[in-house]
Amino acid sequence: MRDYLKSRDFHRHMRLLLRELGWESQNSGKCSFARDGRACWLQVSQYSNSIMGAKFTINMTEGSGPAGDTRILRRLNEADRSIGKALEESIIARLPRPDPDPEIEVLGGSGQTILVKLGDLARANPRQWEAPSDVWLPYFSKSDLDDWATFLLPRLERLTAPSSSEKIDPQLWAQRFRRLTRLFRSK
């Protein structure tokens, strides 16, 4: 059975990963990072547990105060959203399930609380991956975070850039990520 990753372990894992990619850790209460004049922070959902795992999103501070925070995953293009939705379904399918499959309370597409079977979790908010919806990425273990990092790394510069016309070589990011995951898994 896979081990559920609590938020402090989530932050520890992501700090190591982002530091290796050249983002400097900020000294605030949030898991925040800065590079090239841009500051981002990771937000873990308060709705998490050892049965369904947790979700996170990425915010970028563009001004002063909370009003200046932007959810950068809203900037995903259509192709990114299609890939992200498939990855989300894969991660949810790997969740360890008790028998019988329990009903759990989640936020539905309209923001209301609904009951769904754990196996139907990916269908609980079917509009999440439609633009310009707010995207939250589910995880249960470090391997799920590694999968999200593989998805996000080639896109992170573009998503945090003032202009989204910036082009990134996905092969270069894939090579860097493979090197980093070997570093984490060897410990």
Side-chain angles (χ1 to χ4, degrees):
M1 178 171 243
R2 299 183 319 149
D3 291 326
Y4 168 60
L5 196 66
K6 295 185 178 178
S7 66
R8 72 177 175 275
D9 297 320
F10 164 87
H11 291 297
R12 185 178 300 125
H13 187 71
M14 296 306 278
R15 274 188 192 101
L16 289 172
L17 181 62
L18 289 168
R19 248 186 248 137
E20 290 294 325
L21 293 170
W23 289 80
E24 294 179 31
S25 187
Q26 301 294 293
N27 290 331
S28 68
K30 307 181 239 186
C31 187
S32 62
F33 303 89
R35 185 170 77 181
D36 302 330
R38 296 171 288 184
C40 294
W41 57 281
L42 306 175
Q43 180 180 358
V44 177
S45 172
Q46 64 184 356
Y47 302 103
S48 63
N49 60 48
S50 61
I51 294 175
M52 66 182 215
K55 291 184 176 193
F56 75 99
T57 194
I58 306 171
N59 300 290
M60 183 170 69
T61 302
E62 296 184 310
S64 59
D69 290 344
T70 301
R71 297 267 173 82
I72 66 169
L73 297 179
R74 288 181 185 262
R75 298 177 177 180
L76 292 169
N77 62 33
E78 191 174 326
D80 295 339
R81 288 174 181 274
S82 177
I83 295 166
K85 182 178 182 182
L87 180 55
E88 175 187 50
E89 290 170 355
S90 169
I91 287 172
I92 290 172
R94 295 191 308 234
L95 283 173
R97 286 195 186 86
D99 189 25
D101 196 2
E103 282 192 334
I104 55 173
E105 216 173 72
V106 297
L107 288 178
S110 302
Q112 80 286 10
T113 303
I114 59 173
L115 283 175
V116 297
K117 294 273 189 191
L118 185 59
D120 294 329
L121 192 56
R123 292 185 288 275
N125 187 355
R127 294 188 312 235
Q128 167 171 282
W129 290 99
E130 295 173 9
S133 295
D134 191 15
V135 178
W136 288 77
L137 311 174
Y139 70 91
F140 190 84
S141 66
K142 284 183 182 180
S143 65
D144 298 336
L145 292 180
D146 291 342
D147 288 348
W148 283 123
T150 300
F151 169 75
L152 291 169
L153 291 179
R155 296 161 176 86
L156 194 57
E157 291 295 321
R158 176 174 43 90
L159 294 173
T160 60
S163 167
S164 62
S165 61
E166 183 178 342
K167 299 286 184 200
I168 299 195
D169 179 4
Q171 294 297 326
L172 177 64
W173 282 103
Q175 288 171 346
R176 288 180 183 169
F177 181 72
R178 281 192 291 276
R179 192 171 63 238
L180 280 171
T181 55
R182 281 193 296 265
L183 179 104
F184 287 120
R185 291 198 173 124
S186 66
K187 292 181 180 183

